[in-house]
Amino acid sequence: MYVIGGTASETVANDLSKQLKVPLVKTISKRFPDDELYVRILEDISGEHVVIVQTTYPDKSIIELFLFQDAVKEAGAKKITVVIPYFGYARQDTKFKDGEPISAKAMAKLISQNADEVITVDPHKEHILDFFTVPSFSCSAVFELANYLKEKKIDMILAPDKGALNRAKKAAEIIDCDFDYMEKTRIDGETIEIKPKNLDAQNKNVAIIDDIVSTGGTMAKSIKELKKFGANKVFVACTHGLFAGEAIKKLANAGTDEIISTDTITSDYSKVKIAPAIAEILAKKHR
Ligand code: R5P
């Protein structure tokens, strides 16, 4: 097995190659003066099983993934596994209104073209895996996030909506603490409502855990609710830290004590490594 890392996932690819004790392939990825991308594989991978690691966010990273997939195919690899730490466009997983695309399906179909299998981390909804036309699998960051939170003396894990309850429950089991959830209604991409709810948060250290933090609106509202109920420390933990626009400021103003994300998307808050979760699934399938 060989690992290739796109520029959006260099750290994860490096960690994976170390953990699996397989070579990290030397590559070039650079931009032409007109901003078109050029990639090249600098080692012989013909007849090999090649794992390409690339988050499909932002959009430029998608093109890089497609080009590396093509390069690997052209170089004669025997098998191509595409690892997508963060699968962008997964939230448009259905036609919410007439005339819309099913973006997650469109992406999955294109990625499947030069792939024998796909692995992604905490996809927004599991059913998007069915959009790939090759075998596809997901792994969860909950163990890694919960392990980090263990050191923080957490009393309760909170899911910001019912959809995230399972993740909160699993984290609470690992940490050995209570869990609860909020009732959230999404009005549009930027606006959400959270129903007031009696939370037993008085003097407690609480971690709110979700798959994605984008605008930070969901987390900020949840933090405010927790503070209303007298929470002591409030931690924000997510798998995919998009932190769009003023998200970080919003979270800080709401009174969070720490922001924690995995490194599926690289940011100053990527404190938790995702490679062990991906390595485990790769090892299980290919050893
Ligand atoms: C939605 O269902 C997701 O799990 C996240 O809660 C959502 O993407 C967070 O978005 P934002 O940070 O913009 O509120």
Side-chain angles (χ1 to χ4, degrees), residues 91 124 160-161 164 167 184 186 189-190 192 210-219:
R91 284 169 289 178
H124 183 56
D161 56 39
R167 181 178 297 108
K184 174 177 107 175
R186 179 163 291 283
E190 308 244 326
I192 54 141
D210 207 353
D211 59 341
I212 298 170
V213 173
S214 180
T215 66
T218 303
M219 285 290 189

Side-chain angles (χ1 to χ4, degrees), residues 139-153:
C139 64
S140 166
V142 71
F143 182 79
E144 278 68 25
L145 285 170
N147 250 354
Y148 181 93
L149 290 168
K150 255 185 190 168
E151 309 296 313
K152 306 284 175 182
K153 297 192 168 57

Side-chain angles (χ1 to χ4, degrees), residues 49-223:
H49 175 192
V50 180
V51 177
I52 309 171
V53 190
Q54 175 77 327
T55 271
T56 58
Y57 174 87
D59 287 359
K60 281 184 169 186
S61 310
I62 303 172
I63 301 291
E64 190 179 345
L65 174 60
F66 290 158
L67 295 187
F68 269 125
Q69 283 181 269
D70 194 67
V72 169
K73 186 87 173 181
E74 289 291 332
K78 176 182 72 184
K79 186 180 173 91
I80 305 175
T81 298
V82 174
V83 170
I84 311 168
Y86 170 63
F87 180 47
Y89 289 92
R91 284 169 289 178
Q92 180 77 19
D93 62 343
T94 188
K95 250 186 261 177
F96 297 100
K97 290 182 189 148
D98 285 347
E100 290 179 351
I102 305 173
S103 311
K105 193 174 181 182
M107 290 299 151
K109 277 201 285 194
L110 291 171
I111 293 166
S112 299
Q113 277 178 12
N114 277 332
D116 296 293
E117 66 176 7
V118 173
I119 295 171
T120 189
V121 183
D122 283 339
H124 183 56
K125 293 208 178 108
E126 281 292 312
H127 80 94
I128 62 117
L129 292 177
D130 299 335
F131 293 152
F132 293 96
T133 57
V134 292
S136 56
F137 312 93
S138 69
C139 64
S140 166
V142 71
F143 182 79
E144 278 68 25
L145 285 170
N147 250 354
Y148 181 93
L149 290 168
K150 255 185 190 168
E151 309 296 313
K152 306 284 175 182
K153 297 192 168 57
I154 301 292
D155 301 298
M156 179 166 74
I157 298 282
L158 187 74
D161 56 39
K162 226 176 174 178
L165 183 59
N166 249 339
R167 181 178 297 108
K169 186 169 175 244
K170 272 188 209 148
E173 277 164 12
I174 297 165
I175 296 169
D176 193 20
C177 68
D178 295 335
F179 65 95
D180 207 333
Y181 71 96
M182 313 277 275
E183 282 181 41
K184 174 177 107 175
T185 315
R186 179 163 291 283
I187 313 296
D188 58 42
E190 308 244 326
T191 330
I192 54 141
E193 263 175 22
I194 286 200
K195 248 199 204 160
K197 177 177 174 178
N198 239 340
L199 284 169
D200 182 16
Q202 184 75 38
N203 296 326
K204 288 186 176 171
N205 292 338
V206 185
I208 319 169
I209 191 164
D210 207 353
D211 59 341
I212 298 170
V213 173
S214 180
T215 66
T218 303
M219 285 290 189
K221 285 234 163 105
S222 308
I223 298 164

